């Protein structure tokens, strides 16, 4: 399966009064890392992907993380992201945030390929992941 | 002109390693306060306003703030927002963030009533503020 | 075990280009809800708690969430938070984000009562949760 | 005076339901750009600077911005930051956010070199900027 490495510099404003990364920001890093992997896999970005396939996006249905070592302002970390599984209308990502060789955070995301429900455009609905997208995520 | 008061509780995640509100968050408070004033003036929220008038939004063209007294986690502050001026396609807001009787932050926003440019839908364009909206902002 | 209800208004700036809450913000809501539960349990806030017990904070070691129904700007939601388990130096929280009667998001947090390591003040270390804190979390 | 260029990639989560950067994020970019300039000027980061000089930080007292052209997810922009003026205990920064050759946002920051008030450690107080820091900011 496809793997991508994405670098992040921890900013002052990402850290809380304890001086460490405010944990929800790790999910913004992982989200950016997923977008970076898609950009690399498809050759165009999420806005373009949404337009081409007429979808709303790839929202998460399930997410988890383990925080092993804190990071702080000034750290430059690498997020190693892997497509763990591609199913009919959903897929699973695995992320590892690395400080040098140390795994500082581990995370998983399950995302769905989502469009408007034709029966009710105010509702969202999982759609089959196009074959060429699935093939590119498989690497 | 119309004035509205909007209460905000300062959260842990809004504060930086110095233990005080990370300053860009004051602009999110002011933005929420502007939205709250519109909700009160119009009786429906920004999504509904966008849909009714076929606009993209009311983005800022100019913003400023003076930070007088810091605030921190646990503080409950009040934002007093006033429509300072309504022009043809733009308007100006004034905000005062109050901790009790103390003015802790002062801010101004100039916003534009913006839609898609009919000549090029990828571009944004200032449009005249509808009379009934202008009248409601005038209070 | 102790349960608390915490209300959140979804702001424009919490939503992404798909028009729904950008998912990491759910973790900021849950974090605020945990802080609100502690405030209610102890009668003073996290800064005061940190000062009284000489700790650094209650950082997360493990977090998870299931996103069931999206929320958007203008929604007023309730987060129902429960202390699920109190261990020697860690505890587990369960959150349910409710839109009316609908469970829109479910989340769990495992947090540790953390101080500076006396042997190396640059390192963090789990410490025993004080009995009176544990008792108050037990409700 | 010293000038520095700092690159930022606009992320999905920085954009609002109108599909453009949520404006408070421009201030986080400018803040990061100021920190990047200090890192370059001093050779060590803000945490280290705070420790060396026994200060609390360099909080803003005054900020302003003009938003000229919107940016969106996937854009890679450059922030050109200049030290505009160094006074006794404060200094002024000017930022220009560039999309290619276009100035998309202009901003100014006035910041103060702040420590704890010896008479009341709960209060913050402007302190003289050390000569070697002032010299390095002058370029």
């Amino acid at each position: 399966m496809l793997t991508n490495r994405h670098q992040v510099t921890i900013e002052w404003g990402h850290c809380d009064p304890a001086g460490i990364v405010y944990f929800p920001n790790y999910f913004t890093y992982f989200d950016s890392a997923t977008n970076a992997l898609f950009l690399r896999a498809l050759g165009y970005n999420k806005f373009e992907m949404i337009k081409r396939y007429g979808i709303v996006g790839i929202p998460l249905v399930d997410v988890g993380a383990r925080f092993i070592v804190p990071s702080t302002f000034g750290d430059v970390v690498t997020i190693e992201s892997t497509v763990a599984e591609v199913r009919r209308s959903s897929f699973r990502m695995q992320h590892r945030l690395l400080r040098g060789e140390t795994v500082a955070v581990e995370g998983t995301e399950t995302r769905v390929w989502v469009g408007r429900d034709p029966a009710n455009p105010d509702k969202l609905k999982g759609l089959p992941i196009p074959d060429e997208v699935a093939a590119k995520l498989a690497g």
Side-chain angles (χ1 to χ4, degrees), chain A residues 10-24:
Chain A
I10 311 280
E11 304 290 351
W12 178 263
H14 300 174
C15 299
D16 68 9
I20 57 177
V21 172
Y22 183 58
F23 80 95

Side-chain angles (χ1 to χ4, degrees), chain A residues 47-63:
Chain A
F47 271 145
E48 179 66 22
M49 179 179 88
I50 286 171
K51 218 190 292 179
R52 283 199 191 197
Y53 292 104
I55 59 172
V56 170
I58 45 172
L60 289 114
V61 288
D62 196 285
V63 73

Side-chain angles (χ1 to χ4, degrees), chain A residues 14-136:
Chain A
H14 300 174
C15 299
D16 68 9
I20 57 177
V21 172
Y22 183 58
F23 80 95
N25 290 319
Y26 287 117
F27 293 104
T28 71
Y29 303 159
F30 289 156
D31 185 53
S32 296
T34 294
N35 291 339
L37 180 141
F38 268 73
L39 175 60
R40 190 176 140 212
L42 302 180
Y44 47 81
N45 80 13
K46 194 163 158 177
F47 271 145
E48 179 66 22
M49 179 179 88
I50 286 171
K51 218 190 292 179
R52 283 199 191 197
Y53 292 104
I55 59 172
V56 170
I58 45 172
L60 289 114
V61 288
D62 196 285
V63 73
R66 282 202 320 130
F67 306 105
I68 303 158
V69 177
S71 293
T72 191
F73 170 63
D75 290 346
V76 178
V77 299
T78 298
I79 296 164
E80 195 180 86
S81 307
T82 304
V83 181
E85 190 185 359
V86 179
R87 287 172 289 208
R88 190 179 166 278
S89 62
S90 69
F91 59 97
R92 206 153 46 77
M93 300 290 304
Q94 273 174 350
H95 302 286
R96 299 195 313 155
L97 185 145
L98 300 159
R99 292 181 59 191
E101 299 298 303
T102 307
V103 180
V105 185
E106 282 179 343
T108 59
E109 301 175 337
T110 305
R111 292 175 178 263
V112 181
W113 190 265
V114 158
R116 302 265 167 223
D117 185 343
N120 177 357
D122 279 350
K123 291 193 76 171
L124 303 179
K125 197 189 158 158
L127 300 173
I129 297 174
D131 287 347
E132 71 266 27
V133 173
K136 281 172 178 165

